[in-house]
Amino acid sequence: MNKIVQSYIANVKNPENTRRGRWQLRAMNNRYSMLGVWGLSHVNFARKRLVLDVGCGGGKNLERILKQSKQINAVGVDISPASIQVTKKKNSRAVKDGRLQVVQGQAESLPFASNLFDLVTAFETVYFWDIEKGLAEVYRTLKKGGQFLIVNESQSSKGIEEYEQSVGFTVYTKDELCKIVKKAGFKNIRSDVGENGGWFAIVCEK
């Protein structure tokens, strides 16, 4: 694998605070635009007041979440300083108005109090988690009855085996993840697969 490809792959997991890393984040916003819209269609936002997006990337899904209702406030968390910078810029008005906070952190040790959020979302990010620790943290920070939304674009690692090894990346099928979230204590688990057969969404509750 050449150095350019290696650099690209590294910036998928943890975008650097460089021109290349910031470009990667903006590209993610565009690439996953339809996936994000489709994924959020599985949640009823009527009673949601505080939402956390884990692995907020370039911040486009946070923008979509905040547009659902003026009553919603949101928090984005990401391991990458570049993600935090790009997300804040993307949602500068919401940050200025106090509706959005963006902080550095990781799924396995979320820097938030327990029983806090009405909804936690994870778009294209559980691939990178220590899944048991990440789910335990999501469960801890959700209110009782709060929902967790997972949205992934793929159920197969065919053709990307080298990518998995290089990045530290695990592809789960919909059924595998449903079993894992059930084991983590979540209930009322619903799942859906996109028309292309690859996308899937899982919604579950604490």
Side-chain angles (χ1 to χ4, degrees):
M1 186 181 297
N2 65 46
K3 290 183 178 181
I4 293 176
V5 175
Q6 285 179 331
S7 177
Y8 174 84
I9 289 173
N11 273 283
V12 172
K13 182 177 182 179
N14 186 0
E16 301 170 350
N17 200 10
T18 61
R19 181 181 296 178
R20 179 174 290 169
R22 292 188 292 272
W23 175 88
Q24 176 76 293
L25 289 162
R26 290 190 291 270
M28 287 179 186
N29 280 342
N30 294 326
R31 177 182 176 186
Y32 300 122
S33 181
M34 293 179 65
L35 178 69
V37 172
W38 178 82
L40 288 173
S41 72
H42 295 83
V43 175
N44 184 343
F45 284 89
R47 297 184 179 180
K48 303 295 188 294
R49 293 295 179 267
L50 187 59
V51 179
L52 170 66
D53 186 29
V54 181
C56 59
K60 184 64 178 180
N61 285 314
L62 281 167
E63 181 183 61
R64 294 188 179 100
I65 288 166
L66 289 166
K67 285 182 178 179
Q68 298 293 324
S69 168
K70 292 182 178 179
Q71 303 302 314
I72 292 175
N73 289 333
V75 179
V77 62
D78 203 287
I79 194 172
S80 163
S83 293
I84 294 166
Q85 180 180 331
V86 172
T87 294
K88 285 182 175 179
K89 184 175 181 180
K90 178 74 176 174
N91 297 278
S92 58
R93 175 57 65 87
V95 172
K96 183 178 180 180
D97 292 345
R99 294 185 63 205
L100 175 65
Q101 292 183 311
V102 191
V103 300
Q104 187 171 8
Q106 56 188 26
E108 296 83 0
S109 55
L110 293 172
F112 309 110
S114 300
N115 308 306
L116 185 62
F117 298 104
D118 299 297
L119 171 68
V120 176
T121 62
F123 293 85
E124 287 289 284
T125 184
V126 297
Y127 309 115
F128 305 110
W129 295 6
D130 178 321
I131 195 68
E132 292 183 0
K133 290 181 179 179
L135 290 177
E137 280 291 272
V138 170
Y139 192 90
R140 178 185 67 79
T141 57
L142 274 172
K143 293 179 180 178
K144 184 177 180 181
Q147 293 184 309
F148 179 36
L149 170 68
I150 300 171
V151 183
N152 285 358
E153 72 166 342
S154 177
Q155 299 192 65
S156 172
S157 60
K158 185 178 180 180
I160 60 170
E161 292 84 0
E162 188 176 7
Y163 177 91
E164 286 186 283
Q165 291 181 344
S166 298
V167 177
F169 185 90
T170 303
V171 177
Y172 303 95
T173 67
K174 173 180 67 65
D175 292 341
E176 285 172 339
L177 264 182
C178 283
K179 290 178 182 178
I180 293 169
V181 297
K182 183 177 182 180
K183 184 179 179 181
F186 291 93
K187 60 185 182 180
N188 297 330
I189 301 166
R190 297 182 285 112
S191 62
D192 187 26
V193 177
E195 292 182 3
N196 61 9
W199 294 357
F200 71 90
I202 296 173
V203 182
C204 49
E205 296 180 8
K206 178 174 178 178

